[in-house]
Amino acid sequence: MTPSSRRRDGCSGPPPLTYRRHAGRSRHGIAVVSLHFAMLSAALGCSTSDQADPTSATAEWQDASAGVVSRPTVGGGVTAVTSLDGDGRLRTIVFDLATGQRLWSRPASTSGRPADLGIAPAAVAGPPNRAVVGSVEPGSSGAAVVGRDVRTGRQRWARPVGTTFGPARCGDSLCLSEFTAGKNARFAVLDPVTGKTSWTMPGVAEVEWADRRRVVVFRIAAHPVIEAHDLASGRSLWSFPVEQALGGTVDLSGGWSFGALDDDLIGYLAPFRTRQGAPLSAFGFFSLRMEDGVLQWVHRRSLRLYPSANPAVALVTRDVDANDHYGGFTQFDPRTGRAVAAIPAPPRSDPDRWPAFPADLSALGLLQPGHPGQAYDLRTGGPIAGHVRAWSFCTVTPSPLKINGSTGFFPVPAVCPYDMMTGRRLASAGPPPGWYTGAVDGWRVWRDERGGLHGRHDADGTVPGMLG
């Protein structure tokens, strides 16, 4: 077994059934997992079939020529993406959310963005009638984060940042780490309307959750910490060292991901091996209560599967023993941390099998494109015979993006439907499942494998997708 990719989204290279670069249950457990599927389907406004009911869609649009390479962000009645044109130039493009009409575009930059984190999207923040799109644009001395009117693209402010991982919405504010390549790196919270600084703190951090009162950040350091701060003043509310949950010494080179639902923050750190034959770094899942940072549960040495739902929505993992050997699969209830489904290690779990899930997350598929695969019912743990439609990556060997002045970046992965009985890719199956796209105020926006952008209003409320 070799170490995982270092991308934060964990999606470059083959999926981590074998983490390389790029059982019986109680009746109560079965009831819990069945209820969770029903709750997820209801939250996304979806039926348990692979396709959403077309009559439930109040709006739908697509732009096949958008050239999207980032995940979309939604807010203020628009959706913003980063695209790549045929000349190798990145651009921020903003679309009207209701109609899919292109509103404006501006040049974009990756200055200071580690390629392992993928292409950063723009951020949409601010009150509805004064919302701005904050994006990283080329500057005379490094990059600048620029705030522009969501509808017109008119510049409202600009902030030289030298190098940055990119901005993110945090409650009613805009947050970013700036000057990340130097010793004066800092995390800044801005008024999105004016661009003025509300407060800063030293170091590099990533926003994982926020409301109007608090922001929870992941401080990226040799000994990483999760912290909550008062959003208005920056006052520290609580702090939790990640190694307290996972033990040993973590290595962020393996990647990380977080998910939030209700008052729970689910965190995951992936393993990393510094050299051939060396042991894996500490890894696994843990849950914190966002009100006070109290640790609720931990599952060490559990791998996240890709593709899969956001860890706060549904948590299907692969077990790794103390000798770094792969075992079976376990599904945990994200709210309680209790195991609710278990599948023993299959006899033919080949390294090139990809995880695959149906739209309702009721089964786990082990896919080998073009060859018969295996599917297991997560409510019984038993194998499923016949034609099971499941979604997995369209490819696990994407081509690197040809960006002027930047190397090593890959587009955000897309998912495609497959027949698990044959391993064949299905030509047409409607929109991808809600566990992949997520939803914002009922809108699902996603990138297809050719870089086209799609928008569809067929859900209720806001639910995180695979990538947040």
Side-chain angles (χ1 to χ4, degrees):
M1 182 173 69
T2 56
S4 68
S5 161
R6 302 195 331 181
R7 288 182 58 191
R8 178 203 181 280
D9 59 24
C11 295
S12 66
L17 281 176
T18 58
Y19 231 88
R20 51 183 184 173
R21 219 165 170 74
H22 211 334
R25 294 190 319 282
S26 68
R27 183 173 302 176
H28 172 70
I30 294 174
V32 169
V33 75
S34 299
L35 175 63
H36 188 61
F37 292 142
M39 292 172 62
L40 176 67
S41 297
L44 293 176
C46 301
S47 67
T48 55
S49 67
D50 281 348
Q51 295 189 45
D53 179 358
T55 62
S56 69
T58 59
E60 186 171 9
W61 52 264
Q62 63 177 324
D63 188 323
S65 62
V68 179
V69 292
S70 75
R71 65 179 179 86
T73 54
V74 175
V78 303
T79 182
V81 297
T82 305
S83 72
L84 180 65
D85 64 24
D87 295 328
R89 296 172 298 187
L90 292 172
R91 299 190 70 83
T92 297
I93 307 181
V94 176
F95 299 78
D96 180 85
L97 184 60
T99 66
Q101 177 187 357
R102 294 194 191 195
L103 299 176
W104 53 270
S105 70
R106 291 294 185 275
S109 173
T110 60
S111 178
R113 176 82 173 179
D116 294 340
L117 300 186
I119 297 292
V124 186
N129 59 341
R130 303 178 69 191
V132 303
V133 173
S135 61
V136 183
E137 300 188 11
S140 57
S141 57
V145 171
V146 181
R148 297 185 180 274
D149 182 271
V150 294
R151 307 299 304 184
T152 66
R154 180 178 61 84
Q155 180 175 318
R156 289 187 174 175
W157 51 266
R159 181 184 182 91
V161 296
T163 55
T164 180
F165 287 6
R169 178 183 177 182
C170 50
D172 291 333
S173 300
L174 194 69
C175 295
L176 72 152
S177 291
E178 52 189 8
F179 308 110
T180 54
K183 295 182 179 179
N184 59 337
R186 64 181 185 178
F187 178 81
V189 178
L190 312 180
D191 180 327
V193 177
T194 65
K196 293 182 178 179
T197 304
S198 298
W199 54 272
T200 65
M201 64 180 184
V204 177
E206 179 181 86
V207 175
E208 305 304 347
W209 179 88
D211 62 11
R212 292 185 175 182
R213 298 186 300 113
R214 298 166 295 164
V215 58
V216 177
V217 301
F218 179 53
R219 301 199 70 166
I220 301 169
H223 301 283
V225 175
I226 300 172
E227 294 180 350
H229 292 263
D230 179 84
L231 193 53
S233 66
R235 177 174 59 91
S236 177
L237 302 176
W238 54 261
S239 178
F240 182 84
V242 170
E243 289 167 331
Q244 183 175 319
L246 298 181
T249 301
V250 301
D251 190 326
L252 297 185
S253 300
W256 64 89
S257 60
F258 289 85
L261 202 62
D262 300 328
D263 193 42
D264 300 323
L265 181 73
I266 313 299
Y268 171 66
L269 263 63
F272 186 74
R273 195 193 299 276
T274 57
R275 65 185 184 280
Q276 186 68 28
L280 293 173
S281 62
F283 65 98
F285 293 87
F286 58 95
S287 173
L288 301 179
R289 194 166 60 203
M290 283 189 286
E291 184 63 33
D292 51 16
V294 169
L295 181 67
Q296 300 185 104
W297 55 258
V298 178
H299 289 292
R300 298 179 179 179
R301 304 192 68 80
S302 290
L303 290 175
R304 184 180 177 187
L305 303 184
Y306 285 96
S308 64
N310 186 282
V313 172
L315 190 52
V316 181
T317 73
R318 186 155 200 189
D319 311 321
V320 181
D321 67 19
N323 296 317
D324 296 343
H325 296 148
Y326 293 105
F329 300 87
T330 303
Q331 181 172 30
F332 298 102
D333 182 332
R335 289 174 173 80
T336 66
R338 295 173 182 167
V340 293
I343 297 171
R348 293 186 298 112
S349 183
D350 299 329
D352 54 354
R353 300 258 172 179
W354 311 357
F357 292 92
D360 64 357
L361 294 172
S362 61
L364 165 66
L366 303 181
L367 171 71
Q368 186 175 12
H371 301 276
Q374 301 157 285
Y376 297 87
D377 191 324
L378 282 172
R379 290 166 287 197
T380 67
I384 305 175
H387 297 279
V388 176
R389 176 178 289 173
W391 293 77
S392 190
F393 289 135
C394 301
T395 178
V396 294
T397 56
S399 299
L401 297 171
K402 298 179 180 179
I403 304 171
N404 294 341
S406 299
T407 59
F409 285 92
F410 291 84
V412 161
V415 293
C416 292
Y418 295 85
D419 181 347
M420 291 303 304
M421 183 175 180
T422 64
R424 293 176 181 171
R425 183 167 154 180
L426 301 174
S428 176
W435 57 258
Y436 167 75
T437 64
V440 178
D441 294 331
W443 275 98
R444 301 199 293 132
V445 184
W446 68 92
R447 172 193 180 271
D448 65 33
E449 63 175 320
R450 296 181 178 85
L453 187 67
H454 301 254
R456 183 180 174 97
H457 189 284
D458 62 358
D460 296 315
T462 297
V463 178
M466 183 179 81
L467 299 178

